[in-house]
Amino acid sequence: MKVLFAASEAGPFMRTGGLGDVAAALPKALTKAKVETHVIMPLYEGISEQYRQTFEFLGSTVVNVGWRQQYAGVFKCVLDGVTYYFIDNEYYFKRYSIYGHYDDGERFAFFSKAVLEVIPLTKFYPDIIHCNDWQTGLIPVMLDGFYRLIEGYGNIKTVFTIHNIEFQGRMDISCVSEVFGIPGEFADVCEYQGDANMLKAGIERANKVTTVSNTYAQEILNPYFAYGLEHILGQRQYKLCGIVNGIDTKKYNPKTDKALFKNYDLKSIAGKAECKAGLQNMVNLPVAEDKPIIGMVTRLTNQKGLDLVVEVIEQILSMDIQMVVLGTGDWKYETALSEIAKKYSNKLVVIINFNSDIASKIYSGCDMFLMPSRFEPCGLSQLMAMRYGTIPIVRETGGLKDTVIPFNPVEKTGRGFTFKSYNAYDMLDAIKRCVGTYYNKEEWNACVKNAMSGDYSWEQSAKQYIELYKSIL
Ligand code: ADP
């Protein structure tokens, strides 16, 4: 079986969040399970020279984007046994950031068309194209609209994974014909509520639609979570399912992660105390082994529950704890948190940055990890925290509900602390329960042990994707 995995980002080349992690790890897990999986993504300006040096130029072609004719070069490299293709077009991808441009619709319509157009250059004719999020939502439509009669394309099936339904690639309706160049009967599937909607197009036309946890697959049938697409998903429920994400347990391993102040595992858990002291030292917090320290590594946005955190931050800080927040995002949260950190400089540190090295130091050096998301399709940060023995405090939504089993002090089962309602005081209560347990060393150690011995690998989920691929072939 051959799978072409199309994504707008993939680690280690380019990554802004969970999608980049998934596109790095799932193809590896599929390859390990003997499914030939190649990844295709744009050649961004930010991809480092270290990787570019290993690229091989396969050739170029011309892609029609509406009335425009655009150059598309293809480069190839192999990393850790997985083959990657990069679509080169400097007009679209030589930019200072990968998203957030006025012409994102056109950029990713171009990318989607190029994915299909360059298949003969790669000589990799897939059985399945696995598309991810709105940036690749037009692939199933374009495949049906333009390519089906070309040799090698007739039997290709498509899977479309929704990593976050909030982002839909909504454009002016004129884009469908002018920019995407999609004619007649296929234009209708790209339209929703008067706009062009690239996510909706993918949902309509793919053979299977997945999302990244079971709970989120249920939640997005509900208007609170669906950002307007509940009716479309309701109609397409027959082809929708949830498969929970894993993490790259080789990369995120406290025993080998080079970013840590001291490597450790369950048997050498004392090393975690050195990570804590190292973190406190690095961020200029008092070095105190017995003070619980709460970490956050997150986009600073409404989705991630930052409004709850800001609402009760003074109550949180009134406890005998410390807190370290790493993130970038909405200006209002960046400034609110930075201002509070100035006032409570011996308790709260806020680092406005996207930095994987510091992230690892927080996952390893903290005792607790706060993730009070309004909604969370899967969430990877809580998995990384648990892998590093850091106890998650989460809201019971989406993948957080599926992966963080509440700690039961009687049975000594579970690996985190949870709350249900999207309410700052319910979150505060969960934090207090977690901090209370921290001081009961027997219970705490049991909770840490449960967290660290959980299976967060991709193995089980990769098997589910393989079953799904088989079901449509
Ligand atoms: P989302 O994709 O919604 O942002 P996830 O929890 O699925 O959330 O994935 C977030 C990923 O991005 C994790 O790997 C996390 O460690 C990483 N990340 C988020 N913010 C930062 C940051 N400021 N610095 C480094 N890594 C970050």
Side-chain angles (χ1 to χ4, degrees), residues 31 109 161 165 173 227 241 251 276 279 286 316 398 434 441 468:
T31 305
T161 297
I165 206 165
I173 188 65
Y227 284 84
C241 70
K251 180 172 173 205
K276 181 170 177 178
L279 175 68
I316 298 173
C434 186
K441 281 303 159 210
L468 184 83

Side-chain angles (χ1 to χ4, degrees), residues 15-22 163-164 167 245 252 297-299 303-304 326-328 351-360 363 369 371 376-382 384:
R15 181 174 82 95
T16 68
L19 172 60
D21 282 302
V22 173
H163 296 263
N164 190 334
F167 307 113
N245 285 338
Y252 298 107
V297 177
T298 181
R299 288 186 285 118
Q303 180 200 332
K304 300 293 179 177
L326 170 68
T328 55
I351 306 167
I352 304 296
N353 195 355
F354 189 97
N355 183 311
S356 304
D357 184 83
I358 303 176
S360 280
Y363 289 127
F369 190 83
M371 206 164 163
E376 194 58 73
C378 177
L380 298 175
S381 298
Q382 82 281 8
M384 292 165 189

